Amino acid sequence: MYFFDKQCKVLQKPLLSLQNVSISLFHKNKEKQKLVHNISLHVASGEIVGIVGESGSGKSLTCLSIPGLLHHNLKVVQGSILFEDQELLSLSDQKLRSFRGNKIAMVFQEPMSSFNPVMTCGKQVDEMIQLHLSIDRKEVKSHTLSLFKKVQLRDPERAYDSYPHELSGGQLQRIMIAMAISCDPLLLIADECTTALDVTVQKEILLLLKALNKELQLTILFISHDLGVIKDIADQVVVMKDGRIVEQGKAEVIFNTPQENYTKMLLASTPPSNVSLKALPKPEMFFDQSAFSLEKVKIFYREHTILNEEIENRKKYIVEQETILDVRNISKKFVSERNFWGKPKKIIHAVNDLSFALKKSETLGIVGESGSGKSTVSKAILQLIKPDSGEIDFQGQRLDLMALRDLRKVRKHIQYIFQDPYSSLNPRLTVGFAIQEPMKIHNIRESKAKRKEFALELLEKVGMSAEHYDRYPHEFSGGQRQRICIARALALEPKVLVCDEIVSALDVSVQAQVLNLLVDLRKELELSMIFVTHDLSIVRFLCERTLVMRKGEKVEYGWTDEIFEDPSSDYTKKLLDSIPGKQLAL
């Protein structure tokens, strides 16, 4: 198969071609469910193709089928996968091994789980080279070090001798890319390889992949649920939903003039970083074909953009409110390494002399990269981590001086919502019981019937229904579980919500729904919120004030709109410049 132009002249033969590929789940050798339906796509040599879609769209399954890495319960039941005119589906496992790593390489989502923890990183790359290339053993190390330099590792020698746990996520991802390109593959499949990384590291990895694409003419198949990342890297875009291709074409066409409602919904659900919005579009407005039009989406954005006058009025309102939480000069150190005698050898300053205040009905965003100390601060507020020094006042009460018994009484007013909703819920408790349990502990509502009535009200408030009351956590999606965690936190009628990266693992459409819910709850209940995140677009949408942290220090603190329009620190400018896709709103 060849690509043709309008005059039917041959332009280029595809390096990879998938034709009507379908993948099914099997149980006891019987086909149980079809997960991927009739996927057809063609990838030219030297091209970067982005595959985007939400969880369950089939994008990873499709790419895993190319090098034959599907789980034994999954099989390609129809179609063709051609790589350099070679039908991969007809090859034996032994012949496929000669393709893997040699001609088709893969970079997985979580670098830490992809490495052998008892081998140094350098030896693991050496092993890959020795397996596929006929290089003298004495020259293998120098070849590995040259690869480490190519992927821009700052200290190649140190990285070579380090074990995986001794390196950061960004460094491990670079080593994984070095391993992937060690045998000069023709195709690199990158499966969500920047998802777990900070925005600045993510940008570095994207720039690295683009440089390798240009320098080595490396063809890249890049999988992501983040449209901003896809916009920054891809030449062609494939949008998937429910195991099917919804739309595909050139990146500029997909992002500037999307044709399918699902693509438009994905684009519109991403909070824009250049304007402040009152709300994000609801997914249902995109799927009512009779009422939908692109003009309606544009009207929605115009109507929901917060004007400068409204922003100034909101600032005045916040300033006039009482200070509900006052954090003064808190510091926290952790011992990361001890000597033979148990004495501290290496100390990390997680938080250093940090101060800020939270007003009633205000949302404060705390942003920073991994290791900046933002989660340590949020846990110190509830005294889940005791600061070494400093003062924390909640409505005039010193939390840092309280006895545990008194602290428990105050904690009902400050509720913490964790990043992973599944591990936050007891799998043996029904949703209704999980919401009622804290009410019973703190004697909220006088009877079981009253508590159940309030729990049902809360479920409705967070967009759930009464029929969910008797179900268990495993019966819900990630977005629904996060709503249940919010309902449980609201059960104690708190004055402050501390949200620690609560939307980072959610798809963009579900993320938009949760963010809209938080905005509505803030208005209705006059809640104060601390929102911990590394996503600056969310901060622009949700937070009146922003605290930027780096290595435990306060880099910048002020009104969100002012920080976005005129950041005073170089670090904040770097974070803002690293936002993927910059502006995706339609």
Side-chain angles (χ1 to χ4, degrees), residues 28 101 146 254 258 276 279 295-296 331 364 373 586:
K28 294 182 179 179
S146 69
I254 296 291
S276 298
E295 189 56 35
K296 283 194 175 184
S331 296
L364 170 69
L586 297 173

Side-chain angles (χ1 to χ4, degrees), residues 66 68 93 259 390 394 478 536 549:
I66 296 166
D93 285 343
Q259 299 301 306
F394 174 72
L536 287 150
M549 292 185 66

Side-chain angles (χ1 to χ4, degrees), residues 3-19:
F3 292 129
F4 296 91
D5 65 6
K6 291 180 181 178
Q7 285 76 38
C8 293
K9 294 178 180 177
V10 178
L11 292 178
Q12 191 176 8
K13 189 177 183 180
L15 175 72
L16 174 71
S17 181
L18 276 70
Q19 195 68 37

Side-chain angles (χ1 to χ4, degrees), residues 456 459-460 463-469:
L456 290 170
L459 282 172
E460 189 176 342
M464 306 290 281
S465 64
E467 67 181 45
H468 297 133
Y469 183 86

Side-chain angles (χ1 to χ4, degrees), residues 131-235:
L131 184 67
H132 289 287
L133 300 180
S134 54
I135 294 179
D136 191 281
R137 285 199 169 195
K138 295 176 182 178
E139 298 176 8
V140 170
K141 181 178 179 179
S142 61
H143 186 58
T144 298
L145 290 172
S146 69
L147 287 167
F148 283 4
K149 289 174 186 175
K150 187 170 283 186
V151 296
Q152 297 162 27
L153 277 166
R154 291 191 183 95
D155 191 346
E157 288 281 357
R158 178 182 168 272
Y160 184 92
D161 293 322
S162 296
Y163 289 91
H165 71 274
E166 296 179 294
L167 300 174
S168 69
Q171 288 172 314
L172 287 176
Q173 204 61 281
R174 287 173 186 274
I175 292 170
M176 212 170 173
I177 292 169
M179 188 186 293
I181 65 169
S182 62
C183 301
D184 296 324
L186 300 173
L187 174 67
L188 176 68
I189 301 171
D191 187 2
E192 298 273 14
C193 71
T194 61
T195 301
L197 303 179
D198 297 316
V199 285
T200 49
V201 181
Q202 177 178 261
K203 186 176 181 180
E204 290 172 4
I205 296 296
L206 292 177
L207 290 172
L208 170 62
L209 288 173
K210 288 173 82 171
L212 292 171
N213 165 255
K214 191 174 181 180
E215 180 186 345
L216 308 174
Q217 279 298 294
L218 182 64
T219 307
I220 300 174
L221 206 53
F222 194 95
I223 309 164
S224 181
H225 69 273
D226 190 328
L227 286 126
V229 171
I230 293 291
K231 184 180 182 183
D232 281 352
I233 195 170
D235 305 313

Side-chain angles (χ1 to χ4, degrees), residues 26 41 52 84 120-121 213 380 392-393 495 564 583:
F26 283 77
L41 64 93
V52 67
E84 288 191 311
T120 61
C121 294
N213 165 255
I392 301 174
D393 277 9
K495 295 174 182 177
F564 271 74
Q583 168 57 13

